[in-house]
Amino acid sequence: MIKNATTQHPIPTEATYVTVILPIAVPKPYTYIVPDDLVERVQFGVRVEVQFGRTKLYSGLVIAIHNDPPINHKPKPLLAIIDETPVINQAQLTLWKWMAGYYCCTLGEVMNAALPAGLKLNSETSLVLSSVFDGNFELLNDKEYLVAEALTIQDEITVSDVQKILGQKTVAPIIYKLIQKRVIYVKEELREKFKPKKIACVQLQEPYASDEESLQVAFEKVKRANRQEEALMAYLMIYKKQEYVRTQDIYKKANVDASVLKAMVKKGIFQLYKKELSRLGGYEADLLDSPELSEQQIQTIDAMKTIFEKKDAILLHGITGSGKTRVYIELMNEVIANGGQVLYLVPEIALTAQIINRLQKLYGDEIVVYNSRINDNERVEVWKSALANKSVILGARSALFLPFQHLELIIVDEEHDPSYKQMDPAPRYSARDVAVFMAHVHQAKVVLGTATPSIESYQNTKIGKYGLVEMPERFGGSVLPEIILVDKKEEYKQRKMQSHFTSVLIEELKGALEREEQAILFQNRRGHSPVIRCNTCGWHQECINCDVSLTYHKFSNNLRCHYCGYQSAIPQHCPACGDAELSLKGFGTEKIEDELKIFFPDARIGRMDFDTVRTKNAHAKIINDFEEKRLDILVGTQMVTKGLDFDNVGVVGVLSADHLLQFPNFRSTERAFQMITQVSGRAGRKQKRGKVVIQTFDTGHPVIQEILKNNFKDFFNREIKERHTFAYPPFFRLIQITLQHKKPRILNEVSYFFVKYLKEKLGPQVIGPAIPGIPRVRSYYLLDVMIKMPRNTTNANRVKQIITEAKDHVRSKEGYSTIRIKVNVDPY
């Protein structure tokens, strides 16, 4: 039997216990006993090393310290306390508990999403000499002796160390025998991933560092070594301009190498050291003087301050180009001046490039960025910055989890954007809604800003939950773009269509290029062609793991699945009938880019979609190229609709408005209105009036007409009536439950028992099960169940409890434990 470290600590008479969250999906936190030698060090919010299960170790978070032993199990002791100070605070825990309850998940899943990877620890197996081993090596064979001897020299070794010691790969039998003989035991060691960033620097030794007059002596020492003399002069020149000098700076300035610095170290002039630096970047430029506020901006700020006296949340509805960002900055300045913190949320990394540049010029090192593109080490540093009361945190939805100390203002820019919704894994939360609750927890204020408000947020202003401030005019007197509606049916009839471009769009693009203006083309589908089809029998290539067609990508010359990543070569013949006549159907951003080069061979064309912005800096490079006019036409998916501000865009083209309007979702018209309006707002910024060309087969569609008139209120009034009639949000709350299994038979059986249980408790509120539009993804078959219920907090809590009971009910049945059940509160 393995002697485990957990048996080393006797339970004291008056024991201290801690409640610990583990970063796994267990229904509730676990209770551990605190060994006597750790009682004085344990505190709320620190990470602790604990055993869960038979041998697995985790780093958990202490959320309560008490004297109540668990009733149904014997508590295991804490193995170690990792932190000296807390890494989370009470406000975070309050938020986590609310999220776990509202979004039907466990506290451990919220913790797993909240903590950066550098603060979650890896479990690595190590070997430790047993405390009961008496040092008698006579019963050990040669190989066992070598391992035991190594452990008498070192406190612990890893399995890979044993392989090196014995010079063989197979060491498990030897380790097992040593465990049986109680010579060693297996210890799970938790090792932190985070390592601070350090750079090689050089500085003067004493007395030269503190006595400038003694530098003459240093120059005497190097006067016969020209390269050393140049290195010393270079150091003094660099040191006058910055607080530390990197070795690389010396190498570059004096054109010397490492051998020169080593020689000067021997002479007692220089000393080399490692300096720890922040990975977040330095922006020491002087704060820029901001231009004067417009009358509309002044009135907006005054109105918001008045509303904030009574309400904690405001919807700032300002048309594209109205100057909302400047309003945010004025509010931020006031908070920062009072020593408070600001959280500035953007929907995704695609939005941050320009905003980061603007805010960094204003706030210098007082702003840090937190999003999915920074690495684990950078994430840990931002986490520590929030703990240290850094003034401004700008980030995507995950920035909500940071440990703010004095949060006073949350700005949710482009609050309508669907990217604020986390889809997988749990918690499947809406960052906009969490931000509103988070402001309540911190007693802070929240601003929801957008040119195209979500139906829910605008309705909240109607019922008095949020305040409403509107900015109906563009900043600087610029006017909204001219919108040109082009009927694709007529273009086809008159044979004016050129590939996927109407004659009107082609002419407008030509005119823009002649005027040396830029253009943006929007098509919300990436890749070259969505379908490859046989013209004879109708066969089309599908993914082997998902029930979707493979998309052709010309750059890689293959077919790809946009759901699971499966790739396939292009077939030469139809696998069904053998015919060689295969054709590509439909068009995505890659095909548009390709065909534009035919119509405009001299134009510089760029593309911005998921395929071109995969790397850390790729998106910023595309934005910079377009901003600095190294690109004439930018083709993109919804990324190009999101708040980008360019002053030379003369034409914006929406290539297929119908695809947005015909999507099978109750939010399709809302999304279409938002996307087309947002991308239209990219045209004609500042003093030029731009043009927007919308290509559609249905020019009479009410949403298209409302976009033409820029009439959000008419759109909202019509849409809200439909939502009320058909019992959709914001009047009803939706919970979507997706059941998944690799075997259709088991999936159907589970869905029967699951839905039966729900309907017995909830009746007609339960709809389904139903086969979704894509019935199989990543080899898992899917069935959807929808719960539609009135917006009532008490009722919602009851429904969520019943869902949890239903999950436990089906998983307890034999053969059904492998079913996957995903609960998505407020889907879409």
Side-chain angles (χ1 to χ4, degrees):
M1 182 177 177
I2 298 174
K3 183 175 178 62
N4 194 286
T6 59
T7 62
Q8 303 285 320
H9 308 285
I11 298 177
T13 307
E14 294 181 4
T16 300
Y17 300 91
V18 287
T19 304
V20 175
I21 311 175
L22 301 173
I24 52 177
V26 291
K28 61 180 183 179
Y30 210 66
T31 300
Y32 290 86
I33 190 169
V34 185
D36 289 346
D37 58 331
L38 298 180
V39 168
E40 292 186 0
R41 292 179 53 210
V42 72
Q43 57 182 313
F44 169 86
V46 296
R47 290 172 299 160
V48 289
E49 183 181 344
V50 295
Q51 180 182 337
F52 187 76
R54 297 183 64 185
T55 59
K56 191 69 174 176
L57 297 190
Y58 291 94
S59 62
L61 276 171
V62 174
I63 60 169
I65 304 169
H66 52 87
N67 301 111
D68 302 322
I71 298 172
N72 298 321
H73 70 275
K74 183 179 179 181
K76 298 173 182 177
L78 294 187
L79 302 180
I81 296 175
I82 298 170
D83 304 299
E84 294 298 324
T85 57
V87 296
I88 67 165
N89 54 43
Q90 285 286 355
Q92 282 175 289
L93 180 60
T94 301
L95 181 68
W96 292 7
K97 286 181 176 178
W98 177 82
M99 291 181 69
Y102 187 88
Y103 292 106
C104 288
C105 63
T106 67
L107 203 52
E109 287 173 308
V110 180
M111 172 190 169
N112 196 43
L115 289 183
L119 291 179
K120 292 180 289 191
L121 306 171
N122 283 334
S123 182
E124 295 181 358
T125 301
S126 296
L127 305 173
V128 181
L129 201 64
S130 173
S131 58
V132 300
F133 179 58
D134 59 6
N136 183 3
F137 293 96
E138 293 180 0
L139 299 177
L140 307 181
N141 64 32
D142 291 344
K143 290 184 178 180
E144 292 169 356
Y145 173 83
L146 288 173
V147 176
E149 184 186 51
L151 282 167
T152 62
I153 299 169
Q154 304 177 58
D155 292 335
E156 58 190 65
I157 58 175
T158 63
V159 173
S160 61
D161 291 333
V162 176
Q163 292 174 326
K164 293 173 184 176
I165 291 167
L166 301 180
Q168 62 185 63
K169 289 185 178 180
T170 307
V171 296
I174 299 164
I175 294 172
Y176 183 69
K177 285 180 182 177
L178 285 168
I179 292 171
Q180 281 185 318
K181 294 176 182 179
R182 304 183 74 182
V183 176
I184 66 172
Y185 66 90
V186 174
K187 176 188 175 185
E188 293 276 342
E189 182 195 68
L190 294 166
R191 184 169 298 163
E192 289 202 54
K193 292 179 180 177
F194 174 71
K195 293 180 181 178
K197 179 181 179 181
K198 293 184 177 181
I199 58 169
C201 292
V202 60
Q203 63 186 15
L204 289 171
Q205 293 190 35
E206 293 294 348
Y208 314 119
S210 55
D211 183 8
E212 289 187 8
E213 293 181 4
S214 65
L215 280 173
Q216 187 61 40
V217 177
F219 276 106
E220 285 291 328
K221 288 184 178 181
V222 298
K223 68 179 182 180
R224 295 184 180 180
N226 291 338
R227 298 177 70 198
Q228 293 180 25
E229 188 176 30
E230 289 173 1
L232 182 55
M233 292 179 65
Y235 171 86
L236 294 173
M237 292 174 65
I238 297 168
Y239 186 69
K240 288 179 181 179
K241 298 179 182 179
Q242 57 194 56
E243 61 176 296
Y244 58 88
V245 179
R246 300 180 303 169
T247 55
Q248 291 295 329
D249 296 335
I250 301 289
Y251 299 155
K252 186 175 180 180
K253 184 83 173 175
N255 194 25
V256 297
D257 55 26
S259 63
V260 174
L261 296 190
K262 287 180 181 178
M264 296 178 75
V265 170
K266 287 182 179 180
K267 290 181 178 180
I269 299 172
F270 280 159
Q271 66 181 40
L272 304 178
Y273 70 101
K274 296 282 187 179
K275 180 176 177 61
E276 184 174 327
L277 281 187
S278 169
R279 289 181 170 81
L280 309 177
Y283 302 89
E284 289 98 8
D286 294 335
L287 301 184
L288 299 180
D289 294 328
S290 301
E292 292 184 2
L293 294 167
S294 69
E295 185 63 31
Q296 177 180 245
Q297 288 171 332
I298 293 171
Q299 292 174 358
T300 297
I301 293 166
D302 290 341
M304 294 176 77
K305 289 180 179 178
T306 301
I307 293 173
F308 273 145
E309 293 176 2
K310 297 180 181 179
K311 298 182 187 298
D312 292 332
I314 290 176
L315 174 64
L316 178 59
H317 179 199
I319 64 170
T320 54
S322 58
K324 295 187 293 296
T325 304
R326 180 60 198 280
V327 172
Y328 300 152
I329 289 171
E330 290 301 311
L331 295 174
M332 291 163 65
N333 288 341
E334 191 168 317
V335 170
I336 294 167
N338 294 330
Q341 289 177 294
V342 177
L343 172 59
Y344 194 129
L345 285 180
V346 291
E348 55 181 319
I349 185 62
L351 247 180
T352 60
Q354 284 188 317
I355 293 173
I356 289 170
N357 290 336
R358 292 181 193 173
L359 297 184
Q360 281 172 340
K361 289 175 182 177
L362 284 171
Y363 298 116
D365 284 340
E366 279 306 301
I367 184 169
V368 293
V369 182
Y370 193 76
N371 56 47
S372 60
R373 291 293 171 87
I374 65 176
N375 62 42
D376 290 341
N377 291 331
E378 291 169 326
R379 283 170 168 260
V380 173
E381 292 195 22
V382 178
W383 189 276
K384 292 180 177 180
S385 295
L387 274 172
N389 205 37
K390 182 69 77 171
S391 297
V392 183
I393 308 287
L394 186 148
R397 58 178 182 256
S398 57
L400 287 163
F401 294 117
L402 292 170
F404 294 95
Q405 297 297 301
H406 301 288
L407 184 63
E408 293 185 9
L409 176 65
I410 303 175
I411 295 167
V412 184
D413 200 12
E414 308 297 343
E415 65 86 26
H416 67 278
D417 198 289
S419 298
Y420 279 125
K421 175 68 175 178
Q422 161 79 9
M423 297 307 294
D424 275 310
R428 297 173 181 87
Y429 64 96
S430 163
R432 178 194 64 207
D433 298 342
V434 173
V436 173
F437 182 81
M438 184 178 176
H440 169 72
V441 171
H442 286 269
Q443 297 184 326
K445 305 297 183 182
V446 60
V447 177
L448 310 176
T450 180
T452 52
S454 62
I455 296 295
E456 283 85 350
S457 293
Y458 203 78
Q459 176 66 6
N460 279 332
T461 69
K462 295 290 186 181
I463 62 177
K465 185 177 179 181
Y466 300 164
L468 174 64
V469 179
E470 296 183 297
M471 299 177 70
E473 300 172 3
R474 275 192 157 188
F475 180 79
S478 61
V479 294
L480 287 169
E482 175 189 357
I483 298 181
I484 304 170
L485 198 60
V486 185
D487 190 337
K488 291 173 76 173
K489 290 192 302 241
E490 289 299 317
E491 288 275 318
Y492 274 113
K493 283 181 183 177
Q494 298 175 23
R495 298 186 178 181
K496 292 182 178 180
M497 287 291 294
Q498 301 183 56
S499 182
H500 305 291
F501 309 102
T502 59
S503 59
V504 176
L505 180 57
I506 291 290
E507 287 302 313
E508 292 296 341
L509 289 174
K510 283 181 181 177
L513 294 174
E514 288 170 0
R515 296 188 298 270
E516 296 186 348
E517 294 176 346
Q518 294 168 292
I520 294 175
L521 297 184
F522 168 57
Q523 167 67 2
N524 204 31
R525 186 189 291 273
R526 64 187 174 100
H528 188 278
S529 303
V531 180
I532 183 168
R533 189 181 298 279
C534 174
N535 294 335
T536 303
C537 71
W539 168 89
H540 64 280
Q541 181 81 54
E542 287 195 348
C543 175
I544 62 171
N545 303 314
C546 313
D547 289 339
V548 294
S549 298
L550 295 181
T551 300
Y552 172 60
H553 285 251
K554 185 176 181 180
F555 179 78
S556 54
N557 194 34
N558 66 359
L559 302 170
R560 295 184 193 172
C561 175
H562 288 175
Y563 286 83
C564 71
Y566 170 76
Q567 299 185 25
S568 171
I570 302 170
Q572 299 300 312
H573 300 85
C574 172
C577 69
D579 198 291
E581 194 175 340
L582 303 177
S583 60
L584 297 168
K585 305 292 183 182
F587 64 102
T589 51
E590 194 178 26
K591 188 172 185 179
I592 294 166
E593 178 190 24
D594 204 34
E595 293 186 344
L596 279 173
K597 293 173 182 176
I598 299 172
F599 294 108
F600 305 103
D602 298 326
R604 297 164 297 176
I605 301 167
R607 175 163 54 94
M608 186 163 65
D609 55 27
F610 183 77
D611 296 319
T612 61
V613 299
R614 290 177 183 269
T615 59
K616 182 176 180 178
N617 299 313
H619 180 268
K621 183 180 184 307
I622 295 170
I623 294 297
N624 288 338
D625 286 347
F626 195 69
E627 198 167 32
E628 295 172 13
K629 301 178 178 60
R630 289 191 290 269
L631 292 174
D632 300 312
I633 303 175
L634 181 62
V635 181
T637 57
Q638 58 179 332
M639 289 183 180
V640 300
T641 72
K642 298 183 178 181
L644 302 175
D645 186 5
F646 305 108
D647 60 7
N648 193 44
V649 175
V651 174
V652 167
V654 180
L655 295 182
S656 184
D658 307 288
H659 286 169
L660 300 172
L661 293 165
Q662 294 167 1
F663 195 77
N665 186 298
F666 78 92
R667 290 193 191 276
S668 60
T669 53
E670 179 183 2
R671 295 278 188 260
F673 183 91
Q674 291 166 347
M675 282 191 187
I676 297 174
T677 302
Q678 288 284 340
V679 76
S680 299
R682 305 311 116 211
R685 314 284 275 192
K686 299 193 176 175
Q687 301 304 318
K688 298 177 183 176
R689 189 184 190 195
K691 292 184 179 181
V692 179
V693 179
I694 301 176
Q695 301 184 161
T696 177
F697 285 103
D698 188 1
T699 56
H701 196 289
V703 172
I704 297 294
Q705 292 301 314
E706 287 150 1
I707 291 170
L708 272 175
K709 300 171 186 175
N710 191 37
N711 195 332
F712 173 78
K713 290 184 179 177
D714 278 1
F715 165 75
F716 172 80
N717 291 333
R718 180 184 52 76
E719 187 71 15
I720 204 74
K721 287 177 184 176
E722 290 186 11
R723 300 280 185 92
H724 188 270
T725 302
F726 296 104
Y728 277 109
F731 302 102
F732 275 68
R733 176 165 289 155
L734 300 181
I735 300 179
Q736 182 186 47
I737 305 166
T738 303
L739 307 176
Q740 303 180 353
H741 203 277
K742 290 188 175 182
K743 296 180 180 179
R745 178 185 60 82
I746 293 179
L747 180 63
N748 288 326
E749 291 174 2
V750 171
S751 67
Y752 170 79
F753 289 111
F754 185 78
V755 172
K756 183 173 181 289
Y757 187 93
L758 289 178
K759 286 187 174 179
E760 287 174 354
K761 304 281 186 178
L762 300 174
Q765 292 184 94
V766 181
I767 304 169
I771 299 173
I774 301 174
R776 186 173 61 104
V777 175
R778 296 186 178 91
S779 300
Y780 279 85
Y781 292 90
L782 313 178
L783 283 175
D784 282 344
V785 179
M786 188 71 75
I787 298 176
K788 187 183 285 190
M789 57 185 178
R791 298 190 72 87
N792 179 289
T793 303
T794 306
N795 182 52
N797 292 337
R798 174 176 167 269
V799 169
K800 290 166 189 174
Q801 180 60 39
I802 291 169
I803 292 171
T804 301
E805 293 170 359
K807 288 165 64 177
D808 295 340
H809 172 69
V810 297
R811 282 176 173 158
S812 64
K813 293 182 178 294
E814 187 176 352
Y816 296 164
S817 61
T818 55
I819 192 75
R820 292 185 178 182
I821 302 175
K822 293 185 178 180
V823 181
N824 191 356
V825 179
D826 302 334
Y828 312 120

